[in-house]
Amino acid sequence: IFFCRHKKAVSLHFETASYPWATETSFSIGVACSWRNYRMTGKQRFIKEEGRDMTVGPYPKGADIQFSRIKVFSWAVPVMLTHKTKRNFNFSLGAIVNFNTHASLKTRYKLDGKEYKQTDSNIHQTPVTVDFQASLGYKAIGFYVKYSPCKVLDSTYGPEFSALSVGIVLF
């Protein structure tokens, strides 16, 4: 068991909305790109030795730990159902299909006065994943909760973990 935090997720969305009902409820579909970072906390790190599968393990004894992270770049297709109230509140529910085109691993630490950096771009990310998102807003600002039940990495090649994230939405 290890703990990983989803940090610094950045996403850009372009979408179009349709109002198929005679209400303030809309259906939208869009295109987005996102960069997600998963940073290891504590004394564990992501390890990938050349030609081998990725694992989670300790830093060398006496290491000055900086960070260990996985970064995933995705093209996404959000499909959302949104309702706006007469008092400027809105809420959305939907799914986001992610096409994970690139992922990389980076670990940094110091040991005996020497800096170490381990990187790899062949970490076998899961190629397609689905996230579920809910958001609540007032006028031009809100917050969201996103659950990603799919595993970030192909479990044949590395550790299994998924993500839950919260953030701010600017309309």
Side-chain angles (χ1 to χ4, degrees):
I1 297 174
F2 65 94
F3 296 97
C4 184
R5 63 183 168 155
H6 185 216
K7 184 178 181 184
K8 294 184 183 174
V10 176
S11 118
L12 303 170
H13 292 262
F14 301 98
E15 63 184 50
T16 182
S18 168
Y19 291 84
W21 306 281
T23 66
E24 291 298 313
T25 302
S26 66
F27 173 79
S28 65
I29 189 166
V31 175
C33 62
S34 68
W35 297 263
R36 292 177 283 183
N37 283 311
Y38 302 92
R39 284 181 88 111
M40 188 70 71
T41 60
K43 298 184 183 218
Q44 298 289 310
R45 65 181 170 143
F46 295 110
I47 302 170
K48 182 161 189 280
E49 302 196 11
E50 200 166 317
R52 305 192 79 184
D53 296 342
M54 189 181 320
T55 60
V56 173
Y59 285 88
K61 191 171 186 157
D64 178 15
I65 298 167
Q66 293 180 334
F67 67 87
S68 185
R69 66 104 176 113
I70 290 175
K71 183 183 287 185
V72 179
F73 175 80
S74 306
W75 287 101
V77 179
V79 179
M80 306 299 285
L81 190 64
T82 304
H83 181 75
K84 296 178 183 175
T85 69
K86 293 179 180 171
R87 297 188 179 193
N88 294 318
F89 283 97
N90 60 71
F91 60 90
S92 298
L93 294 171
I96 303 168
V97 180
N98 301 294
F99 299 93
N100 304 310
T101 59
H102 178 76
S104 64
L105 161 71
K106 184 186 282 186
T107 299
R108 285 188 175 210
Y109 62 93
K110 292 179 186 176
L111 183 62
D112 298 328
K114 226 176 139 183
E115 292 187 8
Y116 291 88
K117 178 173 97 172
Q118 298 169 331
T119 61
D120 199 310
S121 291
N122 185 22
I123 63 171
H124 302 283
Q125 72 274 12
T126 303
V128 179
T129 58
V130 177
D131 303 337
F132 299 103
Q133 181 173 307
S135 64
L136 178 64
Y138 178 71
K139 293 188 179 182
I141 191 164
F143 74 94
Y144 73 90
V145 175
K146 186 183 334 182
Y147 175 58
S148 306
C150 301
K151 306 303 179 213
V152 174
L153 301 174
D154 181 340
S155 59
T156 309
Y157 299 99
E160 292 185 2
F161 65 96
S162 52
L164 175 68
S165 57
V166 296
I168 296 172
V169 177
L170 303 174
F171 300 100

